Amino acid sequence: MATRGDVEKGGVRKEAGKVPSPLYPQHEGEREWVPWIVPVFFVANITVFVVTMYANNCPVHTPPKDGKCIAHFLGRFAFQPLRQNPLLGPSSATFPLRSICRLTKLGALVWQKVVHEHQGWRLLSSMWLHAGVVHLVANMLSLLFIGMRLEQQFGYVRIGIVYLLSGLGGSVLSSLFIRNHISVGASGALFGLLGAMLSELLTNWTIYTNKVAAVLTLLFVVAVNLVLGILPHVNNFAHIGGFLTGFLLGFVVLMRPHFGWMERYGMPAGSACTSKKYLLYQWILMAIALLILLIGFSAGMAMLFRGANANDSCSWCHYLSCVPTARWTCTN
């Protein structure tokens, strides 16, 4: 952790005023953190994928009739045939006569096991697993691009909380709507970081310039990713649950002092500063978001472990995760 109590960085004095955009450095006097929790998450995801491929052992566990393993020269780290897994990864299907599913054994999210076998830990373990190299690379690039900047601004505790609770929120919503398929990936946690970026901009509205453009850009990025989530084999409920959790958490843990308070660093020594550190609307947003979070998690967990099927209460919600067309169905 590094602190910055002076008003200079790199030998160039910063001008007092507003932050140009939500992704740029802090105000004078604010602490700037050296990111380490995001790199730890990055390494952990890659390590778990390597372990998954080691356990998968395609050359041994894949019958010849199912096709040849991809990159056979990798030995037991070879990928499943493309018709089994086009993302270049392990098998997610049950092997004949072995009843082995590598992703399931290593902690994939399976409704049956969470509810009836009391394996609630899968709600968290599934966010460290990935279906293939393509899936892993896409998520890890997003993690580095979004997470590093956020951790530099807000520190490892707050970003760690957002990441883990958003992943949990995505898993809970996914389990309430999806019963017949396994789910893996850090997408819920990553959408949580996106949601937190949006709420952070809204709750810290006074310190940014170009705020409308920033909001529109974030909304566009989120909308595009959610639309892509209606394609088959994509768990959009994890995306939605993670985004909503992160959005609410942003109001709670990413609140920053408003513009008037931060301007005191540009005042002459001895000048009186009567401005409050946080504005009333920031406290109101935090209270409302915290209340919704507590109610949402409590209700979601209660419904999940009671075995409730959220599709019974929302007949159209399944379209949020997959929209059938002439080219594909949403049953497989």
Side-chain angles (χ1 to χ4, degrees), residues 13-162:
R13 180 180 176 84
K14 294 176 61 180
E15 296 182 359
K18 296 187 178 183
V19 177
S21 85
L23 297 180
Y24 287 116
Q26 292 92 323
H27 276 289
E28 298 168 2
E30 281 193 299
R31 173 175 294 178
E32 184 172 290
W33 303 78
V34 176
W36 68 266
I37 196 69
V38 168
V40 166
F41 289 158
F42 177 83
V43 173
N45 278 278
I46 293 177
T47 301
V48 171
F49 183 74
V50 172
V51 171
T52 302
M53 294 307 303
Y54 180 86
N56 186 67
N57 199 356
C58 178
V60 172
H61 293 138
T62 304
K65 64 178 181 179
D66 291 341
K68 294 183 178 180
C69 298
I70 305 300
H72 203 279
F73 62 90
L74 294 176
R76 65 183 301 146
F77 294 98
F79 309 117
Q80 291 298 126
L82 289 180
R83 65 179 181 178
Q84 285 190 4
N85 189 343
L87 298 179
L88 298 178
S91 172
S92 60
T94 301
F95 291 105
L97 304 179
R98 293 180 176 86
S99 188
I100 295 175
C101 174
R102 299 303 165 190
L103 288 174
T104 300
K105 286 192 68 178
L106 291 173
L109 185 60
V110 184
W111 179 85
Q112 173 73 22
K113 293 185 176 294
V114 170
V115 176
H116 295 297
E117 299 182 25
H118 309 293
Q119 297 181 6
W121 50 270
R122 291 180 179 272
L123 295 171
L124 287 174
S125 63
S126 59
M127 62 188 287
W128 305 99
L129 294 166
H130 287 83
V133 172
V134 176
H135 189 201
L136 178 69
V137 170
N139 277 351
M140 291 305 97
L141 289 177
S142 299
L143 174 61
L144 292 178
F145 180 75
I146 301 171
M148 294 287 279
R149 181 64 259 180
L150 283 174
E151 187 181 353
Q152 188 176 7
Q153 284 185 316
F154 298 102
Y156 65 93
V157 173
R158 288 186 279 184
I159 299 309
I161 289 173
V162 172

